[in-house]
Amino acid sequence: MEQQYNPDTAQIYHFRYMREYRAVCVLWAVLTIIWATFNVVIFVQPQWIGDTPESPGYGHHGVYKNCYPDNVQLRYTCDGSFTDFNSLINDSYKATTFFTGVSALLMLISVAALLLFFCFKKTAVFILVGILELVTGRGMHFFGC
């Protein structure tokens, strides 16, 4: 027995599909913004390894900044810059700084690319942002944090 085309059923399926498609777009955008925020904080924050109130360590450092206590001013003095690779501790930190910085930049580009949902087909934007996020994830996994 052959099924006949029912326009009412097709309209219901189309409406449900578009509603779920928009929900996926919104969810993807929210998760991209959250991941971009985490990525930028990872890159900028200098307090990843080092002093805590319980540890007897000397200073703390992040991806590219090293902070040491200054007993005269009673605060931390930080040195190191992501633009000057000679100020970094060793080659491992240079690689980490580079790949984490590229990942943070690509995530900010991904967030900006989400605005393309208003101009282009959603499928093309999903592919573009997905590729950017895959490159970001690979950079953070293999070379970064």
Side-chain angles (χ1 to χ4, degrees), residues 1-144:
M1 184 162 102
E2 192 175 310
Q3 285 186 333
Q4 292 185 353
Y5 176 74
N6 186 350
D8 294 333
T9 305
Q11 186 178 10
I12 291 170
Y13 281 129
H14 176 73
F15 176 76
R16 287 179 54 197
Y17 173 77
M18 291 307 292
R19 184 181 60 201
E20 292 168 5
Y21 197 61
R22 287 186 188 118
V24 168
C25 292
V26 169
L27 181 63
W28 189 317
V30 168
L31 292 176
T32 298
I33 291 168
I34 290 170
W35 177 244
T37 304
F38 286 157
N39 212 332
V40 170
V41 167
I42 286 169
F43 183 68
V44 174
Q45 184 64 267
Q47 299 172 338
W48 285 105
I49 301 173
D51 280 348
T52 63
E54 294 82 27
S55 69
Y58 181 73
H60 57 266
H61 58 91
V63 175
Y64 60 88
K65 274 193 177 177
N66 303 312
C67 299
Y68 303 100
D70 185 5
N71 293 328
V72 176
Q73 296 179 354
L74 298 175
R75 54 182 257 184
Y76 284 97
T77 303
C78 298
D79 61 344
S81 171
F82 66 89
T83 58
D84 181 19
F85 273 37
N86 293 327
S87 67
L88 301 178
I89 298 174
N90 57 26
D91 290 339
S92 299
Y93 278 93
K94 290 177 185 178
T96 301
T97 298
F98 175 76
F99 286 107
T100 307
V102 168
S103 294
L105 180 65
L106 287 176
M107 282 309 299
L108 292 175
I109 291 171
S110 294
V111 170
L114 291 174
L115 296 174
L116 297 176
F117 276 128
F118 299 114
C119 303
F120 297 103
K121 289 184 178 181
K122 291 174 180 55
T123 306
V125 176
F126 276 138
I127 291 171
L128 173 69
V129 173
I131 289 171
L132 289 173
E133 289 179 4
L134 280 174
V135 170
T136 298
R138 294 297 246 185
M140 290 293 284
H141 179 259
F142 287 122
F143 305 108

